[in-house]
Amino acid sequence: MEVGDLNKKPFIIGVGPCTGFGLLDMDLVLPIEVRFGRVLGRWYMMGELTYGYSLAGETVCFEPSVRVGYRF
């Protein structure tokens, strides 16, 4: 979601619990994602932290990332 006035560089905040799945070391991993960022004119920049946990309790992963995009 966007928080703030759309004309004054709003913040972007998002949480995605267990959306999608991944396989790591032949183990099913469900991710919990937290996204945050800023809108800069027609561009936006977001940081994302993903914590994946295994249904079998054997595997844990942590994935930070940066995303840059353009609003059409």
Side-chain angles (χ1 to χ4, degrees):
M1 81 174 129
E2 293 180 349
V3 178
D5 187 4
L6 292 178
N7 298 321
K8 295 183 181 179
K9 300 178 187 172
F11 288 100
I12 300 171
I13 301 170
V15 176
C18 301
T19 55
F21 67 93
L23 294 173
L24 183 63
D25 295 334
M26 297 303 293
D27 195 4
L28 180 64
V29 177
L30 296 177
I32 297 175
E33 299 176 352
V34 176
R35 296 181 181 181
F36 50 90
R38 290 293 298 251
V39 175
L40 306 168
R42 303 214 32 100
W43 292 89
Y44 65 89
M45 180 176 276
M46 290 190 332
E48 178 179 340
L49 298 173
T50 303
Y51 174 77
Y53 65 94
S54 161
L55 294 180
E58 298 174 355
T59 307
V60 173
C61 64
F62 180 72
E63 300 173 357
S65 63
V66 174
R67 298 176 187 248
V68 177
Y70 184 79
R71 291 175 32 166
F72 291 98

